[in-house]
Amino acid sequence: MLSREGDPLRSGEGPVPSNHDGMAAFAGRHGRIHLVRNHENRADGRVPVPVIDGLTYDPQGKGGCTALTLDHHGRVLSERVAIAGTAVNCAGGPTPGTPG
């Protein structure tokens, strides 16, 4: 298991948000995998994406994305908020480009 809704994010930024809706995986260096996980929280979302200075579009929006990095064995190395303050933000696919 990567993480469970409501458990603490490994970054310490708050709890793992609810409404996991989609995810994209990108190859990284040294066999690492970067996962970007969408949280499709609406106004009634149980666990919102934490508001983070510099990463929050609208503090009233409860959705966003979290980013996880896994090692080549599938162990989670890091987990953090990637963007916050969105709502109904799913486009159905990954953004082009691969993080290094």
Side-chain angles (χ1 to χ4, degrees), residues 1-95:
M1 172 185 352
L2 298 174
S3 60
R4 183 172 285 160
E5 174 186 320
D7 286 351
L9 284 165
R10 286 170 173 83
S11 63
E13 297 169 318
V16 173
S18 56
N19 295 319
H20 305 106
D21 162 85
M23 187 169 12
F26 303 91
R29 294 186 181 124
H30 310 292
R32 292 182 176 173
I33 302 294
H34 300 285
L35 300 175
V36 179
R37 181 172 56 193
N38 182 47
H39 301 275
E40 195 75 18
N41 280 327
R42 299 176 188 274
D44 60 351
R46 289 182 309 273
V47 183
V49 176
V51 172
I52 307 293
D53 281 343
L55 296 176
T56 302
Y57 176 72
D58 179 350
Q60 299 302 310
K62 293 187 175 186
C65 294
T66 51
L68 296 88
T69 300
L70 285 66
D71 68 13
H72 65 281
H73 295 293
R75 294 180 293 231
V76 179
L77 300 173
S78 67
E79 177 184 44
R80 64 179 180 79
V81 173
I83 185 170
T86 65
V88 194
N89 55 310
C90 185
T95 301

